[in-house]
Amino acid sequence: MAAERKRHHLWIHLGLASFTLLSIYPVLWVLALAFSGQQSVGIIDLPADPSFFERLRAVLPWPAHVSVKNFVDVMTEQPFGRWLLNSVLVSLLTTALGVFLACTAAYAFSRFRFPGRDGGMLAFLVSQMFPGTLMLIPLFIIIVKWLGLGNTYWGLVIVYATTAIPFCVWMLKGYFDTIPIDIEESARIDGASPQTIFVRIILPLAKPAIAITALFSFMTAWNEFILASVFLEAESMYTAPVGLRFFVGGFSSQWGFFAAGSVIVSLPVVILFLYLQKYLVSGLTAGSVK
Amino acid sequence: MTLLGWLRQSALAGLGAAVALVLALTAALEGSVSDDLVAQQRQREAVLLTQAIAASLAGADAAAARERLRRWQGGSPAVASVRVVVGRELLASTVADDAAPRALRREEKPLFDLATLLRSAAETNRSEGAVRKKTLQIDEPRGAAPVVTVPLGVDGRFEGIVQARIRPQSGAAVSGGGWGLRLAVLALALVLGAALPLRPGARVDLGRVAALLALALLAIGFQQHRLAQQGASREASEQSMLAVQQRAAVLYAHSGAPALDAAAASPWDTDAYGRPLRHMSVGGRPLVHAEAAKDLPTRFLERSLWLVDALGLAVLLFFTQGFAARTAHALREHASAYAYVAPAMVGMLVLVFFPFFYGIGLSFTDTTLFNEALPLRERWIGLDNFVAILGDFNLVSRGAEGSVWNYQNFYWTLMVTVIWTISNVTVGVSVGFVLALALNTEGLRGKAVYRVLLILPWAIPNYITALVWRGMFHPQFGVINQMLQMAGFKPVAWFDGVVSAFMTGLVTNGWLSFPFMMVVILGALQSIPKDMYEAAEVEGATRWQQLRGITLPLLRPTLVPAVVLSVVWTFNMFNIIFLVSGGEPGGANEILITKAYKIAFEQYQYAYAAAYSTVIFIILLVYGYFQTRVTRATESY
């Protein structure tokens, strides 16, 4: 029995290991290009009529010479540092604005009963169903043509922040609902104003939920590509996603810069994601598994 | 009685606000329409004169042309300057010290280009047998007289162009003023409103009905008065057009050109396409009744005034039926709640809801990058965009080399999108399911390592994933073709074939989406109690029977929402298609939303793209509707 089980496990290990290798190959490929110190899309340069082993060498994700030249060059010679800074600024501003708007609205939805409350919450929910491209053209006309916020941080920030609001509001409202109202009432009896209660009591208690909201807003802005590529025309205002596409889109093929830039952009996101994945999964499955 | 109480118990606020709104909107509409009419009148005069001059020059040589132009300029103070260009030559010019005829100078190239443009427009129209292109050009430099360029031709043949700068002659036909009347109407409304008492609590009473009647009388009466004014000024401008036509006819006869039939419709009084309007004869007699000569702006004004009245009515009811008081009360009562919600709500209204409805509205126009500045009523085309998208069944076009698919057709793109969605979700679910089953094996070592490594594709931003795969699919240097060649196959030109390009998207998106499915299914598998399997084993059920009898039914509540979500995600997966294959070859692999994007931002047809997006939205709505019904059915099962 035990021997059979062991053999069974061996097969599973074999299958899982080979699939895992296959599935992380693109990641290794990018790493190899990033550390290769050159710009071509091949990991090594092949001769005109390569042999089997030369091809095998070209497929193995290990550069001919390990070098950090691409990382140094992309930050110094290319405007990528500037683009990264743009992305950081846009994402931070989005986070600040988005969290502020979501906290206030969620607090009102959670604690006050007022005419229009249910309608407002429903409106937030419904807005999640509007398709992106239907919004893209009017947003382009409003932000770029009417408001003239085309090549600015604020054009992107206000759009990203409002896109993230509905999710954040629902999420925060759920959390605020779990904070006992007694705390607020005793504070009120002690003479605290609603503003004081909100800032001094509710917000500190809701820190975990606010952190998640902030993270969500940040990621929305950090990974967004379409709106940014439509709004930003000046190269100096590009965000990192638009810039990365600039390296390898169209007729340019600076794969080394692209790979190095991708590693820099993805690293924080991937680390955060892997760190948070257990919460993410429990959140996704909590509602559906009974 | 307090002021507030009095406000609440009379029709003062309601009638006042409603009438003020009607007056203000009417004035705004009238203003914009009058401006249009004035501009139209100015252009029509300029076109008429220029056409007359061009007609008189037909067939004349340089000397005769110069002589005729001299007479025109001597006879009409409106003609500021005229230039005649035939081929590369400036045939005649009224500009002093300009020794025409001479060759065009380098800096006069725009004039030559304009001639080429009008020639090609005229030829297109003639070859198509329809007037589709404008054969004359009107330029209106800010604060200067309009410049009109018309073709010069004999018997419809294009010879050259005549460009004339025409000073506006007839006074502006504006029906402005009327502010005294407006004030009087508003005052009357306030007095009437103050005099009409409303019984609190009642829905319908005498005061409310009287207020309604008062609004109708005041609004419609005032608007009819303004329309009559506008009619009068239209009459006046039509009269002045007749005078211009008479004068032009006299000058034409005087210039020495062949005589025209004075009773025939004027060939000079044309629209921007060069088509005669047939409003008057060569001799300057009216040919149509004034009512029939009503122009587009006037008709628009008449129609939109009804909308203004409806708005006024809504405002009146808002006040008299107590909604205003209730709103004010709620605002005061829950001031802090509204203050907290307001910033987010304003943001959502401006940047989510307004754009949404604006986009839908846009889809009923023919807005492109080039005509955005036109007023909305000139761009409004109703359902034409939707007819063009949904009514085009031209899926296969027959060419010289047999039948080929028409990749630009909506139904082709829809088909690709459906195949794309189904195949991706199938791949994602099956790969995820197999991996989850493997990872759920009891006592398997290294589970956590596998899990973290397998989840990586989900963690990487998807635009990066897409570009990475684009690089790996590179036809010449990409690793995938290297691997194929290692295995003895020929390299594949991935982005040149419809199926191979589709595969690039499928592989990329499959790679991207299996971790989500794997994680979701794994979570559900772990929540299935172990003793169920043990019991099944005791009963002698095979592994396959356990899978069908226990695992799949218990997975269903998890799997259905996950599949529903992933269908919508894949349907809208812009980045993969856009960045990996870019819809190549020839747009064959475009899915609906990348297509909509390209229509908007590569062809600049904003309205058509908006209609396209609206269709996508409707498809998703229909899907959502059926999906909730199906989900409910499976839940009860």
Coordinates of all heavy atoms in Angstrom, one line a residue, chain A residues 9 12-13 23 30 41 46 52 55-56 59 101 104 108 113 115 123-124 127 131 135 138 140 145-146 223 226 241 245 255 258 266 273-274 277 281 289, chain B residues 334 338 340-341 343 345 348 352-353 355 369 372 441-442 445 450-451 455 459 461 463-464 467-468 471 477 482-483 485 511 519 527 574 579 606 617:
Chain A
H9 N 2.7 9.1 -5.9 CA 3.2 10.4 -5.6 C 4.4 10.8 -6.6 O 4.5 11.9 -7.0 CB 3.7 10.5 -4.2 CG 2.7 10.8 -3.2 ND1 2.9 11.2 -1.9 CD2 1.3 10.7 -3.4 CE1 1.7 11.3 -1.3 NE2 0.7 11.1 -2.2
I12 N 2.9 12.0 -9.7 CA 2.4 13.4 -9.5 C 3.5 14.4 -9.4 O 3.4 15.5 -10.1 CB 1.5 13.4 -8.2 CG1 0.2 12.6 -8.5 CG2 1.1 14.8 -7.9 CD1 -0.7 12.6 -7.3
H13 N 4.6 14.0 -8.7 CA 5.7 14.9 -8.6 C 6.3 15.2 -10.0 O 6.6 16.4 -10.3 CB 6.8 14.3 -7.7 CG 6.7 14.7 -6.3 ND1 6.7 16.0 -5.9 CD2 6.5 13.9 -5.2 CE1 6.5 16.0 -4.6 NE2 6.4 14.8 -4.1
S23 N 5.8 26.4 -16.7 CA 5.0 27.7 -16.4 C 5.9 28.8 -15.9 O 5.6 29.9 -16.0 CB 3.9 27.4 -15.4 OG 4.2 27.8 -14.1
V30 N 12.6 36.2 -19.0 CA 12.8 37.6 -18.8 C 14.0 37.9 -17.9 O 14.8 38.8 -18.2 CB 11.5 38.2 -18.1 CG1 11.7 39.7 -17.8 CG2 10.3 37.9 -18.9
V41 N 16.2 39.9 -28.8 CA 15.1 39.1 -28.2 C 15.6 37.7 -28.0 O 14.9 36.9 -27.3 CB 13.9 39.2 -29.1 CG1 14.1 38.4 -30.4 CG2 12.7 38.7 -28.4
L46 N 22.7 33.4 -32.3 CA 22.9 32.1 -33.0 C 23.7 32.3 -34.3 O 23.5 33.3 -34.9 CB 21.5 31.5 -33.3 CG 20.8 30.7 -32.1 CD1 19.5 30.3 -32.6 CD2 21.7 29.6 -31.7
F52 N 21.9 21.4 -33.1 CA 20.9 21.1 -32.1 C 21.3 21.7 -30.7 O 20.6 22.4 -30.0 CB 20.7 19.6 -32.0 CG 19.7 19.2 -30.9 CD1 18.4 19.2 -31.1 CD2 20.2 18.9 -29.6 CE1 17.5 18.9 -30.1 CE2 19.3 18.5 -28.6 CZ 17.9 18.5 -28.9
R55 N 21.1 25.4 -30.5 CA 19.7 25.9 -30.3 C 19.3 25.6 -28.8 O 18.7 26.5 -28.2 CB 18.8 25.0 -31.2 CG 18.8 25.5 -32.6 CD 17.5 25.0 -33.3 NE 17.7 25.0 -34.8 CZ 17.5 26.1 -35.5 NH1 17.3 27.2 -34.9 NH2 17.7 26.0 -36.8
L56 N 19.7 24.5 -28.3 CA 19.4 24.2 -26.9 C 20.0 25.3 -26.0 O 19.4 25.8 -25.1 CB 20.0 22.8 -26.6 CG 19.7 22.4 -25.1 CD1 18.2 22.1 -24.9 CD2 20.4 21.1 -24.8
V59 N 17.9 28.2 -26.0 CA 16.6 28.1 -25.3 C 16.8 28.2 -23.8 O 15.9 28.7 -23.1 CB 16.0 26.8 -25.8 CG1 14.8 26.5 -24.9 CG2 15.5 26.9 -27.2
L101 N -11.7 59.5 -0.5 CA -13.0 59.5 -1.0 C -13.8 58.3 -0.5 O -14.9 58.3 -0.1 CB -13.0 59.5 -2.5 CG -12.5 60.8 -3.1 CD1 -12.5 60.7 -4.7 CD2 -13.4 62.0 -2.7
T104 N -14.6 58.4 3.5 CA -15.7 59.2 3.9 C -17.1 58.7 3.5 O -18.0 58.6 4.2 CB -15.5 60.6 3.3 OG1 -15.2 60.5 2.0 CG2 -14.4 61.4 4.0
A108 N -20.3 57.2 5.8 CA -21.6 57.7 5.7 C -22.6 56.6 5.4 O -23.7 56.4 6.1 CB -21.8 58.8 4.7
R113 N -28.4 56.9 8.3 CA -29.5 56.5 7.5 C -30.1 57.8 6.8 O -30.5 58.7 7.6 CB -30.6 55.9 8.3 CG -30.1 54.6 9.0 CD -30.0 53.5 8.0 NE -29.4 52.3 8.6 CZ -28.1 52.1 8.6 NH1 -27.3 52.9 8.1 NH2 -27.7 51.0 9.2
P115 N -32.0 59.7 3.1 CA -32.6 59.4 1.8 C -31.6 59.4 0.7 O -30.7 60.2 0.6 CB -33.6 60.6 1.6 CG -33.7 61.3 3.0 CD -32.5 61.0 3.7
A123 N -26.0 52.4 -7.0 CA -25.3 53.1 -8.1 C -23.8 52.7 -8.2 O -23.3 52.5 -9.3 CB -25.5 54.6 -8.0
F124 N -23.2 52.7 -7.0 CA -21.8 52.3 -7.0 C -21.6 50.9 -7.5 O -20.7 50.6 -8.3 CB -21.3 52.4 -5.5 CG -20.9 53.7 -5.1 CD1 -21.4 54.9 -5.8 CD2 -20.0 54.0 -4.1 CE1 -21.1 56.1 -5.4 CE2 -19.6 55.2 -3.7 CZ -20.2 56.3 -4.4
S127 N -22.2 50.7 -11.3 CA -21.1 51.3 -12.1 C -20.0 50.3 -12.4 O -19.2 50.5 -13.4 CB -20.5 52.5 -11.4 OG -19.7 52.0 -10.4
P131 N -18.6 48.8 -19.2 CA -17.4 48.3 -19.9 C -16.4 49.4 -20.1 O -16.7 50.5 -20.3 CB -17.9 47.8 -21.2 CG -19.2 48.5 -21.4 CD -19.8 48.9 -20.1
M135 N -16.3 53.6 -21.6 CA -15.9 54.7 -20.8 C -14.7 55.4 -21.4 O -14.5 56.6 -21.2 CB -15.6 54.3 -19.4 CG -16.6 53.4 -18.7 SD -18.1 54.3 -18.4 CE -17.5 55.4 -17.1
P138 N -15.5 58.6 -24.0 CA -15.9 59.8 -23.3 C -14.9 60.3 -22.3 O -14.7 61.6 -22.2 CB -17.2 59.4 -22.5 CG -17.6 58.1 -23.2 CD -16.4 57.5 -23.8
F140 N -11.7 60.1 -22.5 CA -10.7 60.8 -23.3 C -11.2 62.2 -23.7 O -10.4 63.2 -23.6 CB -10.4 60.0 -24.6 CG -9.5 60.6 -25.6 CD1 -8.2 60.9 -25.3 CD2 -10.1 61.1 -26.8 CE1 -7.4 61.5 -26.3 CE2 -9.3 61.7 -27.7 CZ -7.9 61.9 -27.5
K145 N -9.8 66.6 -23.9 CA -10.2 67.7 -24.8 C -10.9 68.8 -24.0 O -10.7 70.0 -24.3 CB -11.2 67.1 -25.8 CG -10.7 66.0 -26.6 CD -10.7 66.2 -28.1 CE -9.7 65.4 -28.7 NZ -9.7 65.4 -30.1
W146 N -11.7 68.5 -23.0 CA -12.4 69.5 -22.3 C -11.6 70.1 -21.2 O -11.4 71.3 -21.1 CB -13.7 69.0 -21.8 CG -14.7 68.6 -22.8 CD1 -14.6 68.7 -24.2 CD2 -16.0 68.0 -22.6 NE1 -15.7 68.3 -24.8 CE2 -16.6 67.8 -23.9 CE3 -16.8 67.6 -21.5 CZ2 -17.8 67.3 -24.1 CZ3 -18.0 67.1 -21.7 CH2 -18.5 66.9 -23.0
N223 N -0.6 49.2 -12.3 CA -0.7 48.2 -13.4 C -1.5 48.7 -14.6 O -1.7 48.0 -15.6 CB -1.3 46.9 -12.9 CG -0.3 46.1 -12.1 OD1 0.9 46.4 -12.1 ND2 -0.9 45.2 -11.3
I226 N -4.1 51.0 -20.5 CA -4.8 51.5 -21.6 C -5.1 53.0 -21.4 O -4.7 53.8 -22.3 CB -6.2 50.8 -21.8 CG1 -6.0 49.3 -21.7 CG2 -6.8 51.2 -23.1 CD1 -7.3 48.5 -21.6
P241 N 4.2 51.4 -17.3 CA 3.6 50.5 -18.3 C 3.7 51.0 -19.7 O 4.1 50.3 -20.7 CB 2.1 50.4 -17.9 CG 2.1 50.6 -16.4 CD 3.2 51.6 -16.2
R245 N 6.1 49.4 -22.9 CA 5.6 49.1 -24.2 C 6.4 49.8 -25.3 O 6.6 49.3 -26.4 CB 4.1 49.4 -24.3 CG 3.6 49.5 -25.7 CD 2.3 48.7 -25.9 NE 2.1 48.5 -27.3 CZ 1.5 49.3 -28.2 NH1 1.0 50.5 -27.7 NH2 1.3 49.0 -29.4
W255 N 14.8 44.8 -26.2 CA 14.3 43.8 -25.3 C 15.0 43.8 -24.0 O 14.5 43.4 -22.9 CB 14.3 42.4 -26.0 CG 13.2 42.3 -27.0 CD1 13.3 42.6 -28.3 CD2 11.9 42.0 -26.7 NE1 12.1 42.4 -28.9 CE2 11.2 42.0 -28.0 CE3 11.2 41.6 -25.6 CZ2 9.8 41.7 -28.1 CZ3 9.8 41.3 -25.7 CH2 9.2 41.4 -26.9
F258 N 13.5 46.4 -21.9 CA 12.2 46.0 -21.5 C 12.3 45.0 -20.4 O 11.6 45.1 -19.4 CB 11.5 45.4 -22.7 CG 10.3 44.5 -22.3 CD1 9.1 45.2 -21.9 CD2 10.3 43.2 -22.3 CE1 8.0 44.4 -21.6 CE2 9.2 42.4 -21.9 CZ 8.1 43.0 -21.5
S266 N 7.8 44.7 -11.8 CA 7.0 43.6 -11.2 C 7.4 43.2 -9.8 O 6.6 42.7 -9.1 CB 7.2 42.4 -12.1 OG 7.1 42.7 -13.4
F273 N 2.0 40.4 -3.8 CA 1.0 39.5 -4.2 C 1.2 38.1 -3.4 O 0.2 37.6 -2.9 CB 1.0 39.3 -5.7 CG -0.1 38.4 -6.2 CD1 -1.3 39.0 -6.6 CD2 0.0 37.1 -6.3 CE1 -2.4 38.3 -7.1 CE2 -1.1 36.3 -6.8 CZ -2.2 36.9 -7.2
L274 N 2.4 37.6 -3.5 CA 2.7 36.4 -2.9 C 2.5 36.4 -1.4 O 2.0 35.5 -0.7 CB 4.1 35.9 -3.2 CG 4.4 35.6 -4.6 CD1 5.8 35.1 -4.9 CD2 3.4 34.6 -5.2
Q277 N -1.4 36.5 -0.9 CA -2.3 35.6 -1.6 C -3.2 34.8 -0.7 O -4.3 34.5 -1.1 CB -1.5 34.7 -2.5 CG -0.3 34.0 -1.8 CD -0.3 32.6 -2.0 OE1 -1.3 32.0 -2.3 NE2 0.8 32.0 -1.7
V281 N -7.2 34.5 -1.6 CA -7.9 33.3 -1.9 C -9.0 33.1 -0.9 O -10.2 32.7 -1.3 CB -6.9 32.1 -1.8 CG1 -7.6 30.8 -1.9 CG2 -5.8 32.3 -2.9
V289 N -18.1 28.9 -1.1 CA -18.2 27.6 -0.5 C -19.1 27.6 0.7 O -18.9 28.5 1.6 CB -16.7 27.2 -0.1 CG1 -16.8 25.8 0.5 CG2 -15.8 27.2 -1.3
Chain B
H334 N -29.9 65.7 7.2 CA -28.8 64.8 7.2 C -27.5 65.5 6.6 O -26.8 64.9 5.8 CB -29.1 63.6 6.3 CG -30.4 62.9 6.7 ND1 -30.4 62.0 7.8 CD2 -31.7 63.0 6.3 CE1 -31.6 61.6 8.0 NE2 -32.4 62.2 7.1
Y338 N -24.6 63.8 4.0 CA -24.4 64.2 2.6 C -23.0 64.8 2.4 O -22.4 64.6 1.4 CB -25.5 65.2 2.2 CG -26.8 64.5 2.0 CD1 -27.9 64.9 2.8 CD2 -27.0 63.6 1.0 CE1 -29.1 64.3 2.6 CE2 -28.2 62.9 0.9 CZ -29.3 63.3 1.7 OH -30.5 62.7 1.5
Y340 N -20.3 63.8 3.9 CA -19.4 62.7 3.8 C -19.5 62.0 2.4 O -18.5 61.6 1.9 CB -19.7 61.7 4.9 CG -19.0 62.0 6.2 CD1 -19.7 62.5 7.3 CD2 -17.7 61.7 6.4 CE1 -19.1 62.8 8.5 CE2 -17.1 62.0 7.6 CZ -17.8 62.5 8.7 OH -17.2 62.8 9.9
V341 N -20.7 61.9 1.9 CA -20.8 61.1 0.7 C -20.5 62.0 -0.5 O -20.0 61.5 -1.5 CB -22.3 60.6 0.6 CG1 -22.5 60.0 -0.8 CG2 -22.6 59.6 1.7
P343 N -18.1 64.1 -1.8 CA -16.9 64.1 -2.7 C -16.9 62.8 -3.6 O -16.7 63.0 -4.8 CB -15.8 64.0 -1.7 CG -16.3 64.5 -0.4 CD -17.8 64.2 -0.4
M345 N -19.4 60.9 -4.4 CA -20.6 60.9 -5.3 C -20.3 61.8 -6.5 O -20.6 61.5 -7.6 CB -21.8 61.3 -4.5 CG -23.1 60.7 -5.0 SD -22.9 58.9 -4.8 CE -24.3 58.4 -5.7
M348 N -17.9 60.2 -8.8 CA -18.6 59.2 -9.6 C -19.5 59.7 -10.7 O -19.5 59.2 -11.8 CB -19.4 58.3 -8.7 CG -18.6 57.5 -7.7 SD -17.7 56.1 -8.5 CE -19.0 55.1 -9.0
V352 N -17.8 58.8 -13.9 CA -18.2 57.4 -14.2 C -19.6 57.5 -14.9 O -19.8 57.0 -16.0 CB -18.3 56.5 -13.0 CG1 -18.9 55.2 -13.3 CG2 -16.9 56.4 -12.4
F353 N -20.6 58.1 -14.2 CA -21.9 58.1 -14.8 C -22.1 59.0 -16.0 O -22.7 58.6 -17.0 CB -23.0 58.4 -13.7 CG -23.1 57.3 -12.7 CD1 -22.4 57.4 -11.5 CD2 -23.8 56.2 -13.0 CE1 -22.5 56.3 -10.6 CE2 -23.8 55.1 -12.1 CZ -23.2 55.2 -10.9
P355 N -19.7 60.1 -18.1 CA -19.1 59.5 -19.3 C -19.9 58.3 -19.9 O -20.0 58.2 -21.1 CB -17.7 59.0 -18.8 CG -17.5 59.8 -17.6 CD -18.8 60.1 -17.0
L369 N -12.8 62.7 -35.1 CA -11.8 63.7 -34.7 C -12.0 65.0 -35.4 O -11.7 66.1 -34.9 CB -10.4 63.1 -34.9 CG -9.3 64.1 -34.6 CD1 -9.2 64.3 -33.1 CD2 -8.0 63.4 -35.1
E372 N -15.7 67.3 -34.5 CA -16.1 67.5 -33.1 C -16.7 68.9 -32.8 O -17.5 69.0 -32.0 CB -14.9 67.3 -32.2 CG -14.5 65.9 -31.9 CD -13.3 65.9 -31.1 OE1 -12.3 66.4 -31.6 OE2 -13.3 65.4 -30.0
T441 N -3.5 16.2 -3.5 CA -3.1 14.8 -3.1 C -2.6 14.8 -1.7 O -1.8 15.6 -1.3 CB -2.0 14.3 -4.0 OG1 -2.3 14.6 -5.3 CG2 -1.8 12.8 -3.8
E442 N -3.2 13.8 -0.9 CA -2.8 13.8 0.5 C -1.4 13.4 0.7 O -0.9 12.5 0.0 CB -3.7 12.8 1.2 CG -4.2 13.4 2.6 CD -5.2 12.4 3.2 OE1 -6.1 12.1 2.4 OE2 -5.0 12.1 4.3
R445 N 4.6 16.0 -0.7 CA 5.6 16.9 -0.2 C 5.8 18.0 -1.1 O 5.6 17.9 -2.3 CB 6.9 16.2 0.1 CG 6.9 15.7 1.6 CD 8.2 15.2 2.0 NE 8.3 13.7 1.8 CZ 9.4 13.1 1.8 NH1 10.6 13.7 1.9 NH2 9.5 11.8 1.7
Y450 N 5.4 24.3 -4.9 CA 4.6 24.2 -6.2 C 3.6 25.4 -6.3 O 3.5 26.0 -7.3 CB 3.9 22.9 -6.3 CG 4.8 21.7 -6.7 CD1 4.7 20.6 -5.9 CD2 5.7 21.7 -7.7 CE1 5.5 19.5 -6.2 CE2 6.4 20.6 -8.0 CZ 6.4 19.5 -7.2 OH 7.1 18.4 -7.5
R451 N 2.9 25.5 -5.2 CA 1.8 26.5 -5.2 C 2.3 27.9 -5.5 O 1.8 28.6 -6.4 CB 1.1 26.5 -3.9 CG -0.4 26.5 -4.0 CD -1.0 26.5 -2.6 NE -1.2 27.9 -2.3 CZ -2.4 28.4 -1.9 NH1 -3.4 27.6 -1.8 NH2 -2.5 29.7 -1.7
I455 N 1.6 30.0 -8.9 CA 0.8 31.2 -8.8 C 1.4 32.4 -9.4 O 0.8 33.4 -9.7 CB 0.5 31.5 -7.3 CG1 -1.0 31.6 -7.1 CG2 1.1 32.7 -6.8 CD1 -1.4 31.7 -5.6
A459 N 0.6 36.8 -10.6 CA 1.1 37.9 -9.8 C 1.7 39.0 -10.7 O 1.7 40.2 -10.4 CB 2.1 37.4 -8.8
P461 N 2.1 41.7 -13.6 CA 1.2 42.5 -14.3 C 0.9 42.0 -15.7 O 1.9 41.6 -16.4 CB 1.9 43.9 -14.4 CG 2.8 43.9 -13.2 CD 3.2 42.4 -13.0
Y463 N 0.1 43.2 -18.6 CA 0.7 43.8 -19.8 C 2.1 43.3 -20.0 O 2.6 43.2 -21.2 CB 0.6 45.3 -19.8 CG 1.4 46.0 -18.7 CD1 2.7 46.4 -19.0 CD2 0.9 46.2 -17.5 CE1 3.5 47.0 -18.1 CE2 1.7 46.8 -16.5 CZ 3.0 47.2 -16.8 OH 3.7 47.8 -15.8
I464 N 2.8 43.1 -18.9 CA 4.2 42.6 -19.0 C 4.2 41.1 -19.6 O 4.9 40.8 -20.5 CB 4.9 42.6 -17.6 CG1 5.2 44.1 -17.3 CG2 6.2 41.8 -17.7 CD1 5.9 44.3 -16.0
L467 N 3.7 41.2 -23.3 CA 4.8 41.6 -24.1 C 5.9 40.5 -24.0 O 6.6 40.3 -25.0 CB 5.4 42.9 -23.5 CG 4.5 44.1 -23.8 CD1 4.9 45.4 -23.1 CD2 4.4 44.4 -25.3
V468 N 6.0 39.8 -22.9 CA 7.0 38.7 -22.8 C 6.7 37.6 -23.8 O 7.5 37.2 -24.6 CB 7.0 38.2 -21.4 CG1 7.7 36.8 -21.3 CG2 7.7 39.1 -20.4
G471 N 7.5 38.5 -27.3 CA 8.9 38.3 -27.5 C 9.3 36.8 -27.8 O 10.0 36.5 -28.7
F477 N 13.7 35.1 -33.9 CA 14.6 34.8 -32.8 C 13.9 34.3 -31.6 O 14.6 34.1 -30.6 CB 15.4 36.1 -32.4 CG 16.0 36.8 -33.6 CD1 15.6 38.0 -34.1 CD2 17.1 36.2 -34.2 CE1 16.2 38.6 -35.1 CE2 17.7 36.8 -35.3 CZ 17.3 38.0 -35.8
Q482 N 12.6 28.3 -31.8 CA 13.9 27.6 -31.6 C 13.6 26.2 -31.1 O 14.1 25.2 -31.5 CB 14.8 28.3 -30.5 CG 15.2 29.7 -30.9 CD 16.1 29.7 -32.1 OE1 16.6 28.7 -32.5 NE2 16.3 30.9 -32.7
M483 N 12.6 26.1 -30.1 CA 12.2 24.8 -29.6 C 11.6 23.9 -30.7 O 11.9 22.7 -30.8 CB 11.2 25.0 -28.4 CG 11.8 25.6 -27.2 SD 10.6 25.7 -25.9 CE 11.4 26.7 -24.7
Q485 N 12.2 24.0 -33.8 CA 13.3 23.6 -34.7 C 14.1 22.5 -34.1 O 14.6 21.6 -34.7 CB 14.1 24.8 -35.1 CG 13.5 25.6 -36.2 CD 14.1 26.9 -36.4 OE1 14.1 27.8 -35.5 NE2 14.7 27.2 -37.6
W511 N -1.8 30.8 -19.9 CA -0.8 30.9 -18.9 C -1.2 31.9 -17.8 O -0.9 31.7 -16.6 CB 0.5 31.4 -19.6 CG 1.7 31.3 -18.8 CD1 2.4 30.2 -18.4 CD2 2.4 32.4 -18.2 NE1 3.5 30.6 -17.6 CE2 3.5 31.9 -17.4 CE3 2.2 33.8 -18.2 CZ2 4.3 32.7 -16.7 CZ3 3.1 34.6 -17.4 CH2 4.1 34.1 -16.7
V519 N -6.3 28.1 -7.9 CA -6.4 28.5 -6.5 C -7.8 28.3 -6.0 O -8.1 27.8 -4.9 CB -5.9 29.9 -6.3 CG1 -6.3 30.5 -5.0 CG2 -4.4 29.9 -6.5
S527 N -12.1 22.1 1.1 CA -13.3 22.2 2.0 C -14.2 21.0 1.9 O -15.2 20.9 2.7 CB -14.0 23.5 1.8 OG -14.7 23.4 0.5
F574 N -8.5 43.0 -22.9 CA -7.9 43.9 -23.9 C -6.4 43.7 -24.1 O -5.9 43.5 -25.2 CB -8.2 45.3 -23.5 CG -7.6 46.4 -24.4 CD1 -8.4 46.8 -25.4 CD2 -6.4 46.9 -24.2 CE1 -7.9 47.8 -26.3 CE2 -5.8 47.8 -25.0 CZ -6.6 48.3 -26.1
L579 N -1.6 43.5 -27.2 CA -0.2 43.5 -27.0 C 0.5 42.3 -27.6 O 1.7 42.4 -28.0 CB 0.3 43.7 -25.6 CG -0.1 45.0 -24.9 CD1 0.2 45.0 -23.4 CD2 0.6 46.2 -25.6
Y606 N -14.9 58.4 -33.3 CA -15.3 58.3 -31.9 C -16.7 57.7 -31.8 O -17.0 56.9 -31.0 CB -15.2 59.6 -31.2 CG -13.9 60.2 -31.2 CD1 -13.6 61.6 -31.2 CD2 -12.8 59.4 -31.1 CE1 -12.3 62.1 -31.2 CE2 -11.5 59.9 -31.0 CZ -11.3 61.2 -31.1 OH -10.0 61.7 -31.0
F617 N -21.6 46.4 -24.5 CA -22.3 46.5 -23.2 C -23.6 45.7 -23.2 O -23.9 45.0 -22.3 CB -22.5 48.0 -22.9 CG -23.2 48.2 -21.6 CD1 -22.7 47.7 -20.4 CD2 -24.4 49.0 -21.6 CE1 -23.4 48.0 -19.2 CE2 -25.0 49.2 -20.4 CZ -24.5 48.7 -19.2

